[in-house]
Every structure is written in C-alpha cells, then in structure tokens.
Amino acid sequence: MIDWRGATLGAWRTLRGGPTVTYGLIAGCVLLFALSPVGGMNPAYGTGDTLLAAQGAYFRDWGVIPDDLTHLSTLRPEALLTPLTALFVHGSWLHLLGNMLFLYVFGAMAEERMGALEFGLFYLVCGYLALCGYALAHADSGQTLVGASGAISGVLGAFLLLFPRARVTSLFPFLFFLPLRFPAWVVLVFWFALQWLAARSAGAGPGVAYLAHVIGFALGFAYAWVRYGRKGGARAALPSKGGGG
C-alpha cells in the first residue's frame, strides 16, 4: 500500500528546503504557457483563424520586437518591459520543455550556492540584458523574440565557474544519443562553442536567437567571476542532479 500522506509531506519538505526560485520559475513558465493561446489547452481562445490571431497578438504584446525597442523616436514605455515579460513566453511545448530541463538541471545548484534572492535577481537581469543585446544587434528586425534561454544561458555561464567539476548526463546526437556523464566544464564549453558558431551564421529572421545565448552565458560567467572570484569553483565537487545539456 502506498503511503500517499508520507510521500506528499516528503515532497513538501523538499520544496520548502530546496531551490524554491528555480522550482517557482519552472512552475510559472509551465502554467503561463498552458493558459496562453500557444499552449492549446485554453478553449477561451477559440480555434482556427481566431486562435492564430490570438497567438500573434500574444507574441507581439509580451515578446521583444527589436525594431520597437531600439528606436528612441518611436519607443513606447511598455516596450522596455518586454525583455522581462518575454522570459516567461515560449513558442511551443518543445521550446518550453527544453528550456525548463536546462533550468532544472543547472539552476538548482546555482541557486543553492547564490541564495534565493540573489539567484532570482541574477536570472532576471541576465535574461533582460541578453534579450536587449540581441535587439541592439538586430535593431531593424520586426521578428518577435520570446523564451527564457537568455536567462538560462546566464545560469549556465555561472555554473561553469561555480561547479566546473560537477558531472552532468548529456545526450549527443553524433554519439547516437547515448546518455554519458561528463564534467560540467566539458559540456558547457562545448555548448557555448556551438552557440557562438551558430550566432555568427544566424540572421535576424525566425529561428533560434543564438546571440542571446552567447550574451547571456558571457554575462553569467562574468558575474560569477566578479562575485565569487576565480576560485568560485573550489566547492564544486558536488554532483549535479542529472539531465541533458
């Protein structure tokens, strides 16, 4: 017989004593997506052309449009908030789940090291600046930019300095998706190199905003370097909770 009461209490104690900001961000992003016209679970947005119109309006209202954000002559005050609101908007379930997996794997340990308040502010500031940096680089683009990947890239950058020896489970396509464990510095340096190469060849059109990843990662690493010094990873012998990279 399953002890549901004991399991529930155990889960509650874990949440209370664990990385609450990381878990809160994940829960918030999932809930907002499920309620949005993009999640496909809210019948209030209708179907067909009505649903498509609602999705377009949703992205325009809450996402970053570089052309709106970077031209002072036409800048609307509410546009300055979009690099923040865009962190909680995702384009598909795959987009959402991929970002949340990275946040879960790397965010928990980073939050435990930084503390909840510092980590929360760090996450929001890195994400905001990463999206602003992308907007400045593509100032004339009218494409909408959404997603938490700029902020999560900042978490990855900080993790590289704080926990370089932690081992994470990763899936690499060219290794037939075998789950293999590597030191965090190997996975994250490899990931950053891919983002850098992709950013150099990517344009301002639809697709992945690799430049926002590069900017976020660099900001996160720089912050951890300044805040914790070059020996920030001295206490980084802890294993990660597993997951993908």
Side-chain angles (χ1 to χ4, degrees):
M1 184 175 179
I2 300 175
D3 182 8
W4 292 108
R5 183 174 180 274
T8 303
L9 289 174
W12 173 246
R13 293 191 188 100
T14 300
L15 286 172
R16 288 187 61 189
T20 53
V21 173
T22 298
Y23 293 159
L25 288 169
I26 293 172
C29 285
V30 172
L31 179 61
L32 288 172
F33 185 82
L35 295 176
S36 77
V38 187
M41 300 177 66
N42 191 340
Y45 293 105
T47 59
D49 291 340
T50 302
L51 177 60
L52 291 176
Q55 291 173 350
Y58 178 68
F59 289 134
R60 288 192 301 272
D61 290 343
W62 305 109
V64 173
I65 302 177
D67 185 59
D68 291 347
L69 187 63
T70 57
H71 292 84
L72 295 179
S73 59
T74 58
L75 179 63
R76 296 172 292 111
E78 56 267 29
L80 295 174
L81 291 177
T82 57
L84 186 62
T85 59
L87 299 177
F88 300 90
V89 178
H90 291 84
S92 67
W93 279 106
L94 184 61
H95 185 203
L96 171 72
L97 295 176
N99 275 347
M100 295 305 100
L101 175 61
F102 271 80
L103 179 56
Y104 173 75
V105 171
F106 295 99
M109 289 177 66
E111 181 183 344
E112 289 173 359
R113 178 68 185 275
M114 293 182 181
L117 179 60
E118 181 182 348
F119 177 80
L121 291 173
F122 162 81
Y123 178 92
L124 295 176
V125 171
C126 272
Y128 189 98
L129 294 179
L131 294 183
C132 286
Y134 179 91
L136 289 173
H138 301 287
D140 295 324
S141 173
Q143 295 291 335
T144 306
L145 180 64
V146 299
S149 53
I152 296 170
S153 297
V155 174
L156 301 186
F159 193 99
L160 175 60
L161 187 134
L162 296 176
F163 303 104
R165 293 177 302 216
R167 301 184 71 83
V168 295
T169 302
S170 304
L171 303 175
F172 291 96
F174 55 83
L175 294 177
F176 305 102
F177 293 98
L178 292 175
L180 301 174
R181 291 182 67 78
F182 295 95
W185 72 267
V186 172
V187 176
L188 295 177
V189 169
F190 178 76
W191 179 88
F192 179 77
L194 290 180
Q195 306 307 303
W196 173 261
L197 292 173
R200 295 186 61 182
S201 60
V208 179
Y210 294 106
L211 181 59
H213 300 177
V214 172
I215 295 172
F217 189 96
L219 288 171
F221 186 87
Y223 174 81
W225 180 285
V226 172
R227 174 72 172 82
Y228 297 97
R230 286 178 294 177
K231 295 182 179 181
R235 294 167 53 195
L238 298 173
S240 80
K241 295 185 177 181

